[in-house]
Amino acid sequence: MNAKVSEFLSRHNFVQHIDIDTFSQALLNDMRKGINGEKADEDMIRTWTNPPEAKVKNQKVIVIDAGGTNFRSCLVTFDADGVPTISNLEKTSMPGIEKELSFKEFFDKFAENLEHLKNQADSIGFCFSYPTEIQKDGDGILLGFSKEVKAPEVVGKPIGKSLADALVEHGWNRPKRVSLLNDTVAALLAGAASGQKGVEYSSYIGFILGTGMNAAYIQPAIAGSKDFASSQIVVCESGKFCGVIQSDFDKEVDSKTTKPGTFFMEKGCSGAYLGPLSYSALTNAAKEGLLSSKIAEKILALDKLTLIETSGFLLAPYDTENTIAKILADCGTEEDYDFIFQTLDAIVERSARYSATILAACVIQSGEGKLPSKPVCILCNGSTYHKTYKIYERVKGYLEELLTRQKGLYWDIIAVENDITLGAAIGGLIER
C-alpha cells in the first residue's frame, strides 16, 4: 500500500491488516461468556438440535427462506433414496424492506407470498435470518431485526406460531410444525448432509456472508451445564460483536442505519454495508483533496455506491461499464486509479479478515479438527463471500496460516447446491 493511502486510512482510524489470531481470541472470549450465560455481545443462541443421523426419505416439506433481501419459498420432496427435488419455487422481496409494517401486515404478507404452496405439506422449515431465540419445540422468539428490516411490532413474538395463525386466517390447514432456523443453521445442516463418499468430518460450521453475516457451529457438551448436557448447534450472531475499532467511515455509515450503535461487526464486513463504506471513504478523500479535482468533483456528485459497483471496479478497473471505472476513464490520472483501487481493496480485505476470525473462532470452540483425515466442514454461503473481489481466496489463506500452520487444526470449506433450501428442509423435518 502506498504511503498516501496508508496515511489517509490511518488518519481516519481505519485499522489495516488486523491480527487474525488476536481478534479471534477476542471473539472466543465473547462467545464463551455467552455460552456461560454471562453478558456478551453475541447472543450464542441455543437451537436444541443437531444434524440428523440418518437421511431424510419419503417426505415433503414447505421451505421458506426469509433473508436479508429476498423472500424465497418452495416445496422440497425427498424420495425413497433421500434425494431432494425442489419445486414451486418463487422469489419476491423480503417484507419490511421497503417500508415499515405492522405485526399483522408483516405476517399477512408472508401468507400472501406462500399462497402457491397452500396445504402441499404439513411441515414448514422456516429459515429466518434474524436474531431469534429458538424454543425447544422449534419455534423462535424474534430478538430484533437487522439488515434494515422495519417491523418493530414483530420483535418479541413467536414467529412460527404467528405464521401458522396467519396461514389459517388465509384458508390453510394448521401446519403440524413450523420449525425456525437461522440461515447459518441451514448451511450447517446442508454441509452435514452433503454425503461425499469416503469423506468424514469431525464437526460442522455454517457461515453466511451476504447482505448480512453470521456463523453457527456445534458446541460440544459441557460438564455440569444444564443447557449443554449434550452437544447442540449454536448460532453465534457474530454480526453483533462490537469489539472492533470503528473508523470514521464506519461511524458515518452506522449513524445512517436504522439501529445505530449496534452490529458493528456486520456493518464492517457484510454486503449491505461495504458499498456505503466505500462511498464514505471516497467522498472523504475527495473532500480532502486526495484525488485530482475533476475526479473529486465526479465522486462527490454520486449519491451512493453499491458493493456490486465497488467490487466490479476491483475485478476490472478499466471496464467502463462500471460506475467508478467510467469516472476514471474520463479524466483520471494513474495516481487516481491507484488511490481508489487501494482504498477500496483495503475495505474488502478487512471484510475477509473479519470473516476468517469468525471461522477460526468457531473451529477452535468446536474442539474438533485435530486430525487431517477428519477436518471440520465449513459451508460458506452468500454472494459477498463468493462474488466479491478476492474475499474467498483471502479467507482460505488466512485460515491456512492461523488454524493449520500455527494451531494444527484442520478444516475444509465446501459448497452445496441449493444449500439453504436443503438445510431448511431438513430442519423442518427434525422431530422435537
Side-chain angles (χ1 to χ4, degrees), residues 22-43:
T22 301
F23 197 82
S24 65
Q25 291 302 319
L27 267 173
L28 273 168
N29 183 53
D30 189 70
M31 290 166 67
R32 289 165 180 167
K33 285 181 178 179
I35 285 293
N36 292 326
E38 302 171 30
K39 183 175 175 56
D41 290 343
E42 298 164 276
D43 293 320

Side-chain angles (χ1 to χ4, degrees), residues 306-362:
T306 66
L307 175 57
I308 291 174
E309 290 170 321
T310 57
S311 180
F313 172 73
L314 291 170
L315 288 164
Y318 298 96
D319 180 358
T320 55
E321 291 185 9
N322 175 272
T323 300
I324 301 170
K326 184 176 181 180
I327 288 173
L328 287 167
D330 288 341
C331 49
T333 65
E334 188 173 271
E335 188 177 1
D336 288 327
Y337 271 97
D338 189 51
F339 184 93
I340 289 176
F341 189 98
Q342 291 197 45
T343 299
L344 298 183
D345 185 43
I347 292 170
V348 169
E349 196 263 352
R350 186 184 69 170
S351 174
R353 284 181 176 264
Y354 280 160
S355 300
T357 62
I358 293 166
L359 292 175
C362 287

Side-chain angles (χ1 to χ4, degrees), residues 23 27 30 40-45 68 128-133 141-149 155 182-184 208-215 235-247 249-274 277 350-351 354 358:
F23 197 82
L27 267 173
D30 189 70
D41 290 343
E42 298 164 276
D43 293 320
M44 304 306 290
I45 297 169
F128 193 65
S129 306
Y130 304 91
T132 305
E133 183 180 346
I141 307 296
L142 177 64
L143 299 176
F145 279 114
S146 58
K147 312 178 188 78
E148 309 304 303
V149 173
V155 177
N182 189 270
D183 51 1
T184 57
I208 306 293
L209 183 63
T211 304
M213 60 80 53
N214 197 7
V235 179
C236 300
E237 291 301 336
S238 311
K240 297 180 78 172
F241 184 64
C242 288
V244 299
I245 297 174
Q246 283 192 298
S247 69
F249 317 134
D250 293 297
K251 292 177 180 178
E252 182 178 336
V253 171
D254 178 50
S255 70
K256 297 175 183 177
T257 62
T258 58
K259 287 188 175 181
T262 62
F263 287 87
F264 287 173
M265 175 75 94
E266 181 169 277
K267 291 173 183 176
C269 69
S270 73
Y273 306 100
L274 290 177
L277 283 169
R350 186 184 69 170
S351 174
Y354 280 160
I358 293 166

Side-chain angles (χ1 to χ4, degrees), residues 160-430:
K161 179 182 181 301
S162 301
L163 175 63
D165 290 344
L167 293 177
V168 170
E169 286 186 10
H170 284 251
W172 286 56
N173 300 328
R174 181 169 288 276
K176 176 182 175 183
R177 68 169 68 87
V178 180
S179 297
L180 268 288
L181 62 159
N182 189 270
D183 51 1
T184 57
V185 177
L188 187 155
L189 292 174
S194 58
Q196 185 177 345
K197 185 178 180 181
V199 175
E200 289 190 18
Y201 294 111
S202 53
S203 193
Y204 300 92
I205 291 169
F207 177 68
I208 306 293
L209 183 63
T211 304
M213 60 80 53
N214 197 7
Y217 73 102
I218 299 176
Q219 170 64 41
I222 301 174
S225 171
K226 181 179 178 181
D227 284 353
F228 293 100
S230 59
S231 66
Q232 65 174 284
I233 300 169
V234 169
V235 179
C236 300
E237 291 301 336
S238 311
K240 297 180 78 172
F241 184 64
C242 288
V244 299
I245 297 174
Q246 283 192 298
S247 69
D248 294 339
F249 317 134
D250 293 297
K251 292 177 180 178
E252 182 178 336
V253 171
D254 178 50
S255 70
K256 297 175 183 177
T257 62
T258 58
K259 287 188 175 181
T262 62
F263 287 87
F264 287 173
M265 175 75 94
E266 181 169 277
K267 291 173 183 176
C269 69
S270 73
Y273 306 100
L274 290 177
L277 283 169
S278 300
Y279 177 77
S280 175
L282 293 189
T283 53
N284 274 280
K287 291 172 185 176
E288 293 169 21
L290 298 174
L291 300 170
S292 62
S293 59
K294 290 184 178 179
I295 293 298
E297 182 181 341
K298 289 179 180 291
I299 290 293
L300 292 172
L302 296 173
D303 59 354
K304 66 177 182 177
L305 280 173
T306 66
L307 175 57
I308 291 174
E309 290 170 321
T310 57
S311 180
F313 172 73
L314 291 170
L315 288 164
Y318 298 96
D319 180 358
T320 55
E321 291 185 9
N322 175 272
T323 300
I324 301 170
K326 184 176 181 180
I327 288 173
L328 287 167
D330 288 341
C331 49
T333 65
E334 188 173 271
E335 188 177 1
D336 288 327
Y337 271 97
D338 189 51
F339 184 93
I340 289 176
F341 189 98
Q342 291 197 45
T343 299
L344 298 183
D345 185 43
I347 292 170
V348 169
E349 196 263 352
R350 186 184 69 170
S351 174
R353 284 181 176 264
Y354 280 160
S355 300
T357 62
I358 293 166
L359 292 175
C362 287
V363 170
I364 294 168
Q365 186 63 14
S366 77
E368 299 292 350
K370 298 172 184 177
L371 299 174
S373 60
K374 294 184 71 172
V376 174
C377 174
I378 303 172
L379 192 147
C380 293
N381 173 279
S383 57
T384 302
Y385 176 82
H386 288 289
K387 296 181 180 180
T388 302
Y389 177 75
K390 286 190 176 181
I391 281 188
Y392 72 86
E393 299 101 323
R394 285 168 167 167
V395 168
K396 287 183 176 180
Y398 300 146
L399 291 180
E400 182 69 28
E401 175 61 31
L402 176 61
L403 289 180
T404 306
R405 294 180 186 173
Q406 295 183 27
K407 299 184 182 296
L409 296 175
Y410 299 89
W411 49 275
D412 186 18
I413 292 179
I414 70 166
V416 173
E417 188 176 2
N418 299 312
D419 48 7
I420 302 303
T421 300
L422 175 60
I426 293 169
L429 293 169
I430 292 176

